[in-house]
Amino acid sequence: MKLYNTLTQKKETFIPIEKGKVRMYACGPTVYNYFHIGNARPFIVFDVLRRFLEYTGYEVTFIQNFTDVDDKIINRSHEEGITPKEVSEKYIHEYFVDADALGIHRASAHPKVSEHIPEIIDMIKTLEEKGLAYNIDGNVYYHVDQFKAYGKLSKQSIDDLKSGARIDINDEKKSPLDFALWKKKKAGEPYWESPWGQGRPGWHIECSAMSKKLLGETIDIHGGGQDLIFPHHENEIAQSEGSCGKPFANYWVHNGYINIDNEKMSKSKGNFFTVRDIAKTFDLEAVRMFLLMAHYRSPVNFSKALLQQAATALERLYTAKYQMVFLLEKAANNMVSEAEKLWIATLDQYKKAFIETMEDDINTADAISVIFELVRDLNSSLDEHSSKPALLAGQTIFRELTDVLGLAVKDKETNLDAEVAALIEQRQAARKAKDFKRSDEIRDELLAKGIVLEDTREGVKWKKA
């Protein structure tokens, strides 16, 4: 398997630190609001990377943090009239509501900043002892000039970064590039005791400390959105490698940006969409489909028209899935024919092609194309005369590949199935009795419930509108 490594700026063969095991960390949300479509992309990308690694036999320990100590959380607590802790707990809950709807699996652990203050303080003390951090009146800063490798991830030199940095005349830092490791307490803010007085962590230090505690000093894969390369991930490298003297991560993986109707997403332009907003109009599985139809490193243009196209493509997968379920329910216990045995043997080509595309830097766009080639084959090869072994073979390969991407994973609702089946039976009886008025009434009744009927040669089938 090859992954594009931001650090080396090329695709590299993935070789884990420990054979058969992968340690992976991806930056999670700052929990002060519902997450937006831009946040959703890395959450989905690294969920798929993890699924594929597990599919190919790796034991994956995947960590995604929650930033629950931050200026934005404090500001939101003032707006909502609740404590910062209540804000973060509220939006952690809401994160899981939306993440579940997007088909994102729980990480191995979701550590919080507030629960790792001792580890953060220990790392800052180590950096201070090594001359990489300094304290000014209770504010502790990282001394960037003392870490000579600074800029290696973003491919910028310290001098270039300094020349482009904004300088605040009231800034107490030694250099404009220096960043906060510990912030002195301010009125109305949460705080913890520390060797430098009461205060709270800066943003960047949390990931370094939590990754070290849960995954060790060097990890296999660190990921996030492209916007995190600088300064966040650059600062993480300075902290982690500065404190222990070892590489922080062997592979740095970053996804591309999302534009909205060909413009950069921003609240000022009114094109800022939270996932919760989108859920009012679309099933969020369509959002997952939309984001996976592009390569994760490519920029993506989001629009409702393109999202509708993704929803339509997703519907094709569900149609194929439910068609196989329908045929299996109706299938007789026929012996598998010689022609079917030959066809079953050809199905492995789709699995091989799928794995090849995914091993090429997680190319989900081409992997989805492989799945649609499989669907075309299933639609043309399977019908009401197919044997159960042939139908099961087709269903198995379909589920195997779609499960890796987290697509078409929902089953029809059992209760709804029974209700719809009863109405279909009544409609069939009305048609047989030439009571077409009643037949049409039942069709309209089902349509009002969001159920569309299809009269096919195999019988009446239904799907959600």
Side-chain angles (χ1 to χ4, degrees):
M1 177 171 134
K2 290 184 181 294
L3 288 174
Y4 183 87
N5 190 348
T6 306
L7 186 64
T8 60
Q9 297 192 320
K10 63 182 180 181
K11 286 184 189 179
E12 296 181 347
T13 300
F14 176 68
I15 303 172
I17 297 167
E18 186 178 354
K19 187 176 180 181
K21 295 184 178 181
V22 176
R23 287 174 278 177
M24 182 166 73
Y25 189 103
C27 292
T30 300
V31 282
Y32 72 102
N33 200 350
Y34 303 106
F35 65 86
H36 57 71
I37 184 66
N39 303 134
R41 193 175 194 189
F43 300 158
I44 292 170
V45 165
F46 294 103
D47 177 65
V48 169
L49 174 54
R50 180 229 193 141
R51 285 173 184 250
F52 182 67
L53 288 167
E54 290 176 339
Y55 173 67
T56 52
Y58 286 103
E59 179 186 328
V60 181
T61 304
F62 175 50
I63 307 300
Q64 181 186 285
N65 69 299
F66 285 124
T67 298
D68 66 339
V69 179
D70 188 84
D71 290 341
K72 293 175 181 175
I73 295 172
I74 295 167
N75 294 338
R76 180 53 65 97
S77 75
H78 296 154
E79 292 171 10
E80 297 194 9
I82 56 179
T83 66
K85 179 177 174 60
E86 288 171 327
V87 169
S88 61
E89 291 300 325
K90 171 184 174 180
Y91 288 107
I92 285 172
H93 170 77
E94 299 299 346
Y95 164 83
F96 284 123
V97 170
D98 290 337
D100 288 348
L102 286 166
I104 297 166
H105 285 169
R106 296 289 200 275
S108 307
H110 287 279
K112 302 173 189 174
V113 181
S114 61
E115 296 173 353
H116 290 80
I117 301 299
E119 291 81 7
I120 289 170
I121 289 173
D122 284 347
M123 182 169 281
I124 296 173
K125 285 168 64 178
T126 299
L127 291 169
E128 197 174 33
E129 290 164 4
K130 292 192 171 189
L132 292 168
Y134 57 91
N135 172 24
I136 297 181
D137 191 29
N139 291 312
V140 183
Y141 299 99
Y142 192 98
H143 198 181
V144 168
D145 282 341
Q146 298 302 308
F147 185 71
K148 301 308 178 186
Y150 194 81
K152 68 178 181 178
L153 183 67
S154 56
K155 308 306 173 190
Q156 304 175 86
S157 70
I158 290 179
D159 289 340
D160 288 343
L161 288 166
K162 279 184 178 179
S163 66
R166 290 187 304 174
I167 300 176
D168 186 339
I169 57 172
N170 297 317
D171 204 336
E172 64 185 2
K173 299 182 295 185
K174 293 180 180 180
S175 165
L177 293 183
D178 294 351
F179 56 91
L181 298 171
W182 188 263
K183 295 181 177 183
K184 185 178 179 180
K185 173 194 171 186
K186 292 180 182 177
E189 293 186 352
Y191 65 89
W192 289 264
E193 299 292 341
S194 81
W196 316 283
Q198 294 174 340
R200 60 186 174 90
W203 175 35
H204 310 293
I205 191 67
E206 63 187 72
C207 292
S208 291
M210 292 189 288
S211 177
K212 179 183 176 182
K213 178 185 178 182
L214 297 169
L215 297 174
E217 292 176 328
T218 301
I219 65 176
D220 293 294
I221 300 170
H222 196 320
Q226 190 177 337
D227 57 310
L228 295 182
I229 295 173
F230 186 87
H232 186 50
H233 287 168
E234 195 73 72
N235 291 350
E236 284 185 29
I237 289 174
Q239 294 163 163
S240 296
E241 298 187 4
S243 65
C244 74
K246 298 175 184 177
F248 180 23
N250 290 338
Y251 301 86
W252 288 86
V253 180
H254 295 93
N255 63 270
Y257 291 111
I258 291 183
N259 293 323
I260 308 293
D261 292 318
N262 294 309
E263 290 190 330
K264 186 177 180 181
M265 182 172 65
S266 72
K267 290 181 180 177
S268 62
K269 291 181 179 177
N271 65 354
F272 182 92
F273 294 107
T274 66
V275 167
R276 190 65 59 88
D277 291 332
I278 297 167
K280 295 172 185 175
T281 310
F282 290 91
D283 186 314
L284 290 185
E285 192 178 354
V287 173
R288 187 181 183 97
M289 181 71 161
F290 166 75
L291 292 173
L292 295 180
M293 287 172 76
H295 191 281
Y296 77 90
R297 285 192 289 115
S298 301
V300 167
N301 182 49
F302 177 89
S303 70
K304 288 186 178 178
L306 292 171
L307 186 54
Q308 183 57 60
Q309 289 177 21
T312 301
L314 182 62
E315 181 62 28
R316 285 176 57 200
L317 294 185
Y318 272 110
T319 299
K321 176 178 181 173
Y322 294 153
Q323 168 73 348
M324 284 183 284
V325 172
F326 178 82
L327 292 174
L328 273 165
E329 289 173 350
K330 303 291 184 182
N333 290 316
N334 301 338
M335 293 290 290
V336 61
S337 69
E338 291 303 315
E340 285 179 325
K341 288 178 182 178
L342 292 173
W343 176 78
I344 291 170
T346 69
L347 294 177
D348 197 48
Q349 67 178 307
Y350 298 107
K351 180 176 178 177
K352 288 178 179 176
F354 179 87
I355 291 173
E356 283 176 8
T357 60
M358 290 293 285
E359 285 187 334
D360 184 14
D361 195 27
I362 313 301
N363 191 340
T364 56
D366 284 356
I368 288 173
S369 295
V370 171
I371 290 174
F372 277 114
E373 288 173 16
L374 169 64
V375 166
R376 283 191 288 273
D377 191 349
L378 296 174
N379 289 341
S380 63
S381 302
L382 299 175
D383 58 27
E384 68 273 22
H385 304 297
S386 299
S387 68
K388 280 190 176 179
L391 290 165
L392 285 169
Q395 184 182 65
T396 299
I397 187 68
F398 177 85
R399 285 183 171 175
E400 185 176 325
L401 303 188
T402 53
D403 281 357
V404 175
L405 300 183
L407 296 172
V409 295
K410 298 172 188 171
D411 293 319
K412 285 188 176 180
E413 300 168 37
T414 305
N415 293 338
L416 187 60
D417 270 356
E419 182 183 350
V420 171
L423 286 169
I424 289 174
E425 193 173 323
Q426 291 176 33
R427 178 174 174 267
Q428 291 297 87
R431 284 165 64 107
K432 191 173 182 180
K434 300 191 183 302
D435 186 354
F436 298 112
K437 182 184 176 187
R438 178 57 185 152
S439 171
D440 290 343
E441 285 174 352
I442 293 172
R443 178 184 283 274
D444 292 342
E445 184 181 342
L446 287 166
L447 191 58
K449 295 176 181 287
I451 302 298
V452 176
L453 297 183
E454 294 180 343
D455 294 307
T456 73
R457 64 183 183 181
E458 295 100 357
V460 179
K461 291 189 285 188
W462 63 271
K463 65 181 181 179
K464 288 188 176 182

